[in-house]
Amino acid sequence: MEGIENLVSARNLLKGSLEKSRDIAFELNKISPRLEKSNQRLSFLENSMKDMACKCRLYEIRSHVDSAIGPAAGVLRILDVVYELEDSLVADPDSDLFAYIATVKRLEDALKLLTDNSELVILWLEDLVQFLKNIEVSDDHWYLINMSKALDILWELHSMGQNGKVLLAALENLENEYRHILTEYSFPFPLCSLLPSPKGKASILPVSLPLPVVEKLQAITEKLASNNRLENCVSIYAQVRSSNVRASLQALDVDYLHIQLSEFDSAQTAESYMDLWDKHLEFAVKHLLDKEYHLCSEVFGKAGSDVWMHCFAKLAIQSGINDFIKFGDTITKCKKDAIKLLKLLKIFATLNKLRLDFNRLFSGKFCVKIQTQTRDLVKKVVTGVCEIFWELCIQVELQRQSSPPPDGSVPRPVCFVTGYCNQLLEDENRSVLIQVLEIYQVWNHESCEEEVLFNEIHSVMRELELNLESWAKAYKETALSCLFMMNSYWFFFNNIKGTKLGDLMGDSWLRGNEEYFEYYATLHMRESWEKLPVLLQEEGLILFPGGRAIDRELAKKRINSFNEAIDDMYKKQSNWILSDKGLRLRICQLAVQTVVPPYKNYLQKCAYGIENEVGTGGDFKYTAESLEYLINSFFQQKVGKFDGTKCTDLIRIKNAVINHFSLPAAA
């Protein structure tokens, strides 16, 4: 029963639902035309809204355009200023340099503003172009074309601000003006009294630049440096000023600095240039480069010490300071001989004298080349001096193998060695040589001996004395050997006494030489002149005991024997030489005293009645007077022979002995 009732209830519910559905369908049919009309209106509204949305998007461009208009107008105004400044920079800078530099500064500022504003406008326009690309506008192609053109123009203006062809031209004008100022005020002026040249020309010094000129150079330097053109500035300065230094040096005739090693036979060949080298290098360092050093500091001081030191280093090298060092280096490569030692001492003395100036001018990283070359030269000089010095004794000993002078004169090596030792002991050489020897010993970790120089010279003189003894034994004639030793010891006593060498050797050494001289003079007289009077003996001349009659023939015979002996002696000894005039007069006087009085007495006593035959074409050749005259003509030097009066001046003899007093080349 209960199930049937449920079914009836369900049927009634479904029926009611169907009736309501029919009513709703009826109503929907009634409003369908109205919905169709509304749908058409919505489609129109949709199209209208789309058009309104597009217009709204274009309206948004206005804010972008407004943002770009201000900077764009600024770009145009700045561009007008740039064109104005360009016109004003066409003029020559030297008319008003500081105004020109101020104009360049304004141009720099204007170009910077042009760059900055161009960048700002470019950013806005790039955003605008991108916006146009993102929206759909029927005539967006027109907008894009115009915006692209505007961008291209702005990029050109931006490039103009960065590269600045106008500014580059202005800076080049400043560089040219910089060179012009330097050239105009770097003309060397004559200064006659400072350092005369060998050709008699007046030497010249560059005048220091006036303060207004320095200020102009500083202003240009500062402006070029701010535009990354400082190196150009340095190069121009170094080129102009170095050419001025070279002109000053050329007035002194320094062509010898470029002589090649092949043109030097030895250091002696360069002797005439050494004093010039010393004076010219001192002049170049203390006067020319010192002025340039301070001037570089003034002109480039604001740019920093590195800049002006770099500039000075370039200037110094281009000026030719290295040529002086190379000349010294050439001397160190010459053939090793005794004269070279003196030249090396001269080089060392010059460099040592200028050491503080070199350290001040050429210190720092920019002068490394000059520093290195100078140090190398000093090393070569010190080494070369010591190599020659330590072999002096050996070289003197080697001379022992040579032959003595055939005329018995003082051997030229003796004159050379004693004069050479005197030169080493001169104040200017002694102190330098001692310093060099000490440096060498320190370098080689050897103990420094204060007396090393004096001990070595003592050794040299001992070897020289041994040479004399050896040479004396080479003569076959005892009289000539004695004359040779007499010559040499007279030379030692008279020419070394009162010199530095004499002071070093001491009074006892000098007295010893005087005693040796007296000994050999006595021996020489005994071996030669004292043998002549023996020929004039009176034995056997008296015919009768207690009478006065003489054997005339025997007297004539003995006189003739004497004359022949005189002639033989003259023939033998006429080529013998006593090097010193005073010595020759003294020995001739002794010979006259030894020979003439006995001869005169013999003529008077033993040749009575025949004396009128003497010197008249008879049997007898000499009178006492003519014999004295003949003896006084002995031992004279021949024309061109070395005058041994003073041997401290080596110039006249060094050419003759230097090749015999050379050291073997260094390995």
mmCIF file of all heavy atoms in Angstrom, residues 160-185:
data_model
loop_
_atom_site.group_PDB
_atom_site.id
_atom_site.type_symbol
_atom_site.label_atom_id
_atom_site.label_comp_id
_atom_site.label_asym_id
_atom_site.label_seq_id
_atom_site.Cartn_x
_atom_site.Cartn_y
_atom_site.Cartn_z
ATOM 1 N N MET A 160 79.422 62.686 -32.111
ATOM 2 C CA MET A 160 80.121 63.961 -32.221
ATOM 3 C C MET A 160 80.589 64.438 -30.854
ATOM 4 O O MET A 160 81.703 64.949 -30.691
ATOM 5 C CB MET A 160 79.183 65.002 -32.844
ATOM 6 C CG MET A 160 79.765 66.394 -32.915
ATOM 7 S SD MET A 160 78.561 67.547 -33.613
ATOM 8 C CE MET A 160 79.468 69.079 -33.472
ATOM 9 N N GLY A 161 79.762 64.230 -29.837
ATOM 10 C CA GLY A 161 80.137 64.624 -28.481
ATOM 11 C C GLY A 161 81.264 63.787 -27.931
ATOM 12 O O GLY A 161 82.123 64.281 -27.195
ATOM 13 N N GLN A 162 81.274 62.498 -28.311
ATOM 14 C CA GLN A 162 82.316 61.612 -27.785
ATOM 15 C C GLN A 162 83.633 61.773 -28.534
ATOM 16 O O GLN A 162 84.704 61.888 -27.941
ATOM 17 C CB GLN A 162 81.850 60.162 -27.853
ATOM 18 C CG GLN A 162 80.855 59.797 -26.758
ATOM 19 C CD GLN A 162 80.601 58.303 -26.717
ATOM 20 O OE1 GLN A 162 80.618 57.643 -27.751
ATOM 21 N NE2 GLN A 162 80.343 57.778 -25.527
ATOM 22 N N ASN A 163 83.566 61.734 -29.876
ATOM 23 C CA ASN A 163 84.790 61.786 -30.669
ATOM 24 C C ASN A 163 85.308 63.215 -30.824
ATOM 25 O O ASN A 163 86.500 63.462 -30.759
ATOM 26 C CB ASN A 163 84.557 61.169 -32.045
ATOM 27 C CG ASN A 163 84.174 59.696 -31.923
ATOM 28 O OD1 ASN A 163 84.584 59.025 -30.990
ATOM 29 N ND2 ASN A 163 83.367 59.220 -32.862
ATOM 30 N N GLY A 164 84.435 64.131 -31.001
ATOM 31 C CA GLY A 164 84.780 65.538 -31.043
ATOM 32 C C GLY A 164 85.820 65.895 -32.082
ATOM 33 O O GLY A 164 86.944 66.246 -31.732
ATOM 34 N N LYS A 165 85.476 65.786 -33.374
ATOM 35 C CA LYS A 165 86.436 66.155 -34.413
ATOM 36 C C LYS A 165 86.892 67.596 -34.251
ATOM 37 O O LYS A 165 88.060 67.918 -34.485
ATOM 38 C CB LYS A 165 85.816 65.946 -35.787
ATOM 39 C CG LYS A 165 85.589 64.481 -36.140
ATOM 40 C CD LYS A 165 85.033 64.342 -37.548
ATOM 41 C CE LYS A 165 84.832 62.876 -37.910
ATOM 42 N NZ LYS A 165 84.278 62.711 -39.268
ATOM 43 N N VAL A 166 85.977 68.437 -33.839
ATOM 44 C CA VAL A 166 86.330 69.840 -33.609
ATOM 45 C C VAL A 166 87.337 69.941 -32.468
ATOM 46 O O VAL A 166 88.337 70.658 -32.544
ATOM 47 C CB VAL A 166 85.067 70.663 -33.280
ATOM 48 C CG1 VAL A 166 85.452 72.105 -32.970
ATOM 49 C CG2 VAL A 166 84.082 70.613 -34.434
ATOM 50 N N LEU A 167 87.083 69.185 -31.408
ATOM 51 C CA LEU A 167 87.991 69.195 -30.257
ATOM 52 C C LEU A 167 89.352 68.619 -30.642
ATOM 53 O O LEU A 167 90.397 69.151 -30.241
ATOM 54 C CB LEU A 167 87.382 68.394 -29.109
ATOM 55 C CG LEU A 167 88.250 68.271 -27.850
ATOM 56 C CD1 LEU A 167 88.541 69.642 -27.266
ATOM 57 C CD2 LEU A 167 87.563 67.376 -26.812
ATOM 58 N N LEU A 168 89.349 67.540 -31.432
ATOM 59 C CA LEU A 168 90.613 66.943 -31.862
ATOM 60 C C LEU A 168 91.440 67.947 -32.659
ATOM 61 O O LEU A 168 92.662 68.044 -32.482
ATOM 62 C CB LEU A 168 90.342 65.697 -32.700
ATOM 63 C CG LEU A 168 89.743 64.494 -31.966
ATOM 64 C CD1 LEU A 168 89.471 63.366 -32.947
ATOM 65 C CD2 LEU A 168 90.679 64.015 -30.865
ATOM 66 N N ALA A 169 90.778 68.677 -33.526
ATOM 67 C CA ALA A 169 91.484 69.689 -34.309
ATOM 68 C C ALA A 169 92.062 70.773 -33.399
ATOM 69 O O ALA A 169 93.192 71.237 -33.597
ATOM 70 C CB ALA A 169 90.546 70.305 -35.340
ATOM 71 N N ALA A 170 91.276 71.175 -32.398
ATOM 72 C CA ALA A 170 91.746 72.198 -31.465
ATOM 73 C C ALA A 170 92.948 71.704 -30.671
ATOM 74 O O ALA A 170 93.912 72.443 -30.433
ATOM 75 C CB ALA A 170 90.614 72.596 -30.520
ATOM 76 N N LEU A 171 92.905 70.440 -30.259
ATOM 77 C CA LEU A 171 94.027 69.876 -29.501
ATOM 78 C C LEU A 171 95.276 69.764 -30.376
ATOM 79 O O LEU A 171 96.404 69.975 -29.907
ATOM 80 C CB LEU A 171 93.645 68.503 -28.940
ATOM 81 C CG LEU A 171 92.523 68.513 -27.889
ATOM 82 C CD1 LEU A 171 92.165 67.088 -27.495
ATOM 83 C CD2 LEU A 171 92.944 69.315 -26.658
ATOM 84 N N GLU A 172 95.094 69.420 -31.635
ATOM 85 C CA GLU A 172 96.238 69.384 -32.549
ATOM 86 C C GLU A 172 96.834 70.779 -32.720
ATOM 87 O O GLU A 172 98.062 70.936 -32.806
ATOM 88 C CB GLU A 172 95.802 68.818 -33.897
ATOM 89 C CG GLU A 172 95.533 67.309 -33.846
ATOM 90 C CD GLU A 172 95.037 66.777 -35.176
ATOM 91 O OE1 GLU A 172 94.911 67.590 -36.117
ATOM 92 O OE2 GLU A 172 94.774 65.565 -35.273
ATOM 93 N N ASN A 173 95.965 71.795 -32.749
ATOM 94 C CA ASN A 173 96.457 73.174 -32.815
ATOM 95 C C ASN A 173 97.292 73.508 -31.583
ATOM 96 O O ASN A 173 98.326 74.186 -31.681
ATOM 97 C CB ASN A 173 95.291 74.151 -32.932
ATOM 98 C CG ASN A 173 94.635 74.110 -34.301
ATOM 99 O OD1 ASN A 173 95.240 73.635 -35.271
ATOM 100 N ND2 ASN A 173 93.407 74.590 -34.395
ATOM 101 N N LEU A 174 96.840 73.026 -30.424
ATOM 102 C CA LEU A 174 97.601 73.262 -29.197
ATOM 103 C C LEU A 174 98.951 72.544 -29.233
ATOM 104 O O LEU A 174 99.962 73.081 -28.762
ATOM 105 C CB LEU A 174 96.793 72.807 -27.979
ATOM 106 C CG LEU A 174 95.628 73.700 -27.564
ATOM 107 C CD1 LEU A 174 94.895 73.104 -26.371
ATOM 108 C CD2 LEU A 174 96.120 75.104 -27.213
ATOM 109 N N GLU A 175 98.973 71.342 -29.772
ATOM 110 C CA GLU A 175 100.248 70.624 -29.892
ATOM 111 C C GLU A 175 101.207 71.386 -30.806
ATOM 112 O O GLU A 175 102.407 71.511 -30.506
ATOM 113 C CB GLU A 175 100.010 69.215 -30.436
ATOM 114 C CG GLU A 175 99.376 68.263 -29.438
ATOM 115 C CD GLU A 175 99.219 66.867 -30.013
ATOM 116 O OE1 GLU A 175 99.653 66.648 -31.157
ATOM 117 O OE2 GLU A 175 98.651 65.998 -29.317
ATOM 118 N N ASN A 176 100.685 71.897 -31.912
ATOM 119 C CA ASN A 176 101.516 72.670 -32.831
ATOM 120 C C ASN A 176 102.030 73.944 -32.171
ATOM 121 O O ASN A 176 103.190 74.337 -32.361
ATOM 122 C CB ASN A 176 100.738 73.013 -34.099
ATOM 123 C CG ASN A 176 100.413 71.778 -34.929
ATOM 124 O OD1 ASN A 176 101.122 70.773 -34.858
ATOM 125 N ND2 ASN A 176 99.338 71.839 -35.699
ATOM 126 N N GLU A 177 101.161 74.581 -31.402
ATOM 127 C CA GLU A 177 101.572 75.786 -30.689
ATOM 128 C C GLU A 177 102.617 75.459 -29.630
ATOM 129 O O GLU A 177 103.560 76.220 -29.402
ATOM 130 C CB GLU A 177 100.350 76.450 -30.043
ATOM 131 C CG GLU A 177 100.660 77.701 -29.243
ATOM 132 C CD GLU A 177 101.230 78.817 -30.119
ATOM 133 O OE1 GLU A 177 101.127 78.739 -31.358
ATOM 134 O OE2 GLU A 177 101.783 79.771 -29.542
ATOM 135 N N TYR A 178 102.473 74.305 -29.004
ATOM 136 C CA TYR A 178 103.436 73.833 -28.000
ATOM 137 C C TYR A 178 104.822 73.679 -28.636
ATOM 138 O O TYR A 178 105.833 74.144 -28.106
ATOM 139 C CB TYR A 178 102.941 72.492 -27.459
ATOM 140 C CG TYR A 178 103.636 71.992 -26.225
ATOM 141 C CD1 TYR A 178 103.306 72.484 -24.974
ATOM 142 C CD2 TYR A 178 104.614 71.002 -26.300
ATOM 143 C CE1 TYR A 178 103.914 72.008 -23.829
ATOM 144 C CE2 TYR A 178 105.243 70.527 -25.165
ATOM 145 C CZ TYR A 178 104.878 71.034 -23.928
ATOM 146 O OH TYR A 178 105.490 70.560 -22.801
ATOM 147 N N ARG A 179 104.851 73.047 -29.787
ATOM 148 C CA ARG A 179 106.116 72.872 -30.505
ATOM 149 C C ARG A 179 106.686 74.229 -30.933
ATOM 150 O O ARG A 179 107.899 74.473 -30.840
ATOM 151 C CB ARG A 179 105.894 71.988 -31.730
ATOM 152 C CG ARG A 179 107.171 71.656 -32.494
ATOM 153 C CD ARG A 179 106.839 70.898 -33.778
ATOM 154 N NE ARG A 179 106.192 69.635 -33.505
ATOM 155 C CZ ARG A 179 106.846 68.510 -33.218
ATOM 156 N NH1 ARG A 179 108.167 68.520 -33.175
ATOM 157 N NH2 ARG A 179 106.178 67.394 -32.990
ATOM 158 N N HIS A 180 105.794 75.114 -31.389
ATOM 159 C CA HIS A 180 106.231 76.435 -31.845
ATOM 160 C C HIS A 180 106.866 77.231 -30.710
ATOM 161 O O HIS A 180 107.933 77.847 -30.885
ATOM 162 C CB HIS A 180 105.033 77.198 -32.422
ATOM 163 C CG HIS A 180 105.326 78.631 -32.739
ATOM 164 N ND1 HIS A 180 106.088 79.009 -33.815
ATOM 165 C CD2 HIS A 180 104.964 79.782 -32.088
ATOM 166 C CE1 HIS A 180 106.193 80.333 -33.838
ATOM 167 N NE2 HIS A 180 105.525 80.826 -32.798
ATOM 168 N N ILE A 181 106.241 77.206 -29.541
ATOM 169 C CA ILE A 181 106.779 77.948 -28.390
ATOM 170 C C ILE A 181 108.140 77.396 -27.995
ATOM 171 O O ILE A 181 109.096 78.139 -27.763
ATOM 172 C CB ILE A 181 105.795 77.875 -27.203
ATOM 173 C CG1 ILE A 181 104.511 78.645 -27.525
ATOM 174 C CG2 ILE A 181 106.437 78.432 -25.934
ATOM 175 C CD1 ILE A 181 103.425 78.490 -26.482
ATOM 176 N N LEU A 182 108.227 76.076 -27.901
ATOM 177 C CA LEU A 182 109.497 75.450 -27.508
ATOM 178 C C LEU A 182 110.602 75.783 -28.505
ATOM 179 O O LEU A 182 111.734 76.105 -28.126
ATOM 180 C CB LEU A 182 109.326 73.940 -27.416
ATOM 181 C CG LEU A 182 108.652 73.407 -26.148
ATOM 182 C CD1 LEU A 182 108.365 71.918 -26.297
ATOM 183 C CD2 LEU A 182 109.533 73.648 -24.928
ATOM 184 N N THR A 183 110.277 75.697 -29.782
ATOM 185 C CA THR A 183 111.280 75.963 -30.807
ATOM 186 C C THR A 183 111.732 77.419 -30.772
ATOM 187 O O THR A 183 112.925 77.723 -30.879
ATOM 188 C CB THR A 183 110.719 75.621 -32.205
ATOM 189 O OG1 THR A 183 110.292 74.256 -32.225
ATOM 190 C CG2 THR A 183 111.768 75.836 -33.279
ATOM 191 N N GLU A 184 110.771 78.309 -30.606
ATOM 192 C CA GLU A 184 111.080 79.734 -30.604
ATOM 193 C C GLU A 184 111.980 80.123 -29.435
ATOM 194 O O GLU A 184 112.901 80.936 -29.588
ATOM 195 C CB GLU A 184 109.781 80.546 -30.547
ATOM 196 C CG GLU A 184 110.006 82.052 -30.577
ATOM 197 C CD GLU A 184 108.704 82.834 -30.546
ATOM 198 O OE1 GLU A 184 107.633 82.178 -30.436
ATOM 199 O OE2 GLU A 184 108.745 84.071 -30.623
ATOM 200 N N TYR A 185 111.744 79.535 -28.278
ATOM 201 C CA TYR A 185 112.500 79.919 -27.081
ATOM 202 C C TYR A 185 113.605 78.920 -26.726
ATOM 203 O O TYR A 185 114.184 79.011 -25.647
ATOM 204 C CB TYR A 185 111.553 80.075 -25.893
ATOM 205 C CG TYR A 185 110.697 81.316 -25.991
ATOM 206 C CD1 TYR A 185 109.428 81.263 -26.558
ATOM 207 C CD2 TYR A 185 111.188 82.540 -25.553
ATOM 208 C CE1 TYR A 185 108.648 82.399 -26.667
ATOM 209 C CE2 TYR A 185 110.411 83.686 -25.661
ATOM 210 C CZ TYR A 185 109.151 83.615 -26.214
ATOM 211 O OH TYR A 185 108.384 84.748 -26.322
#
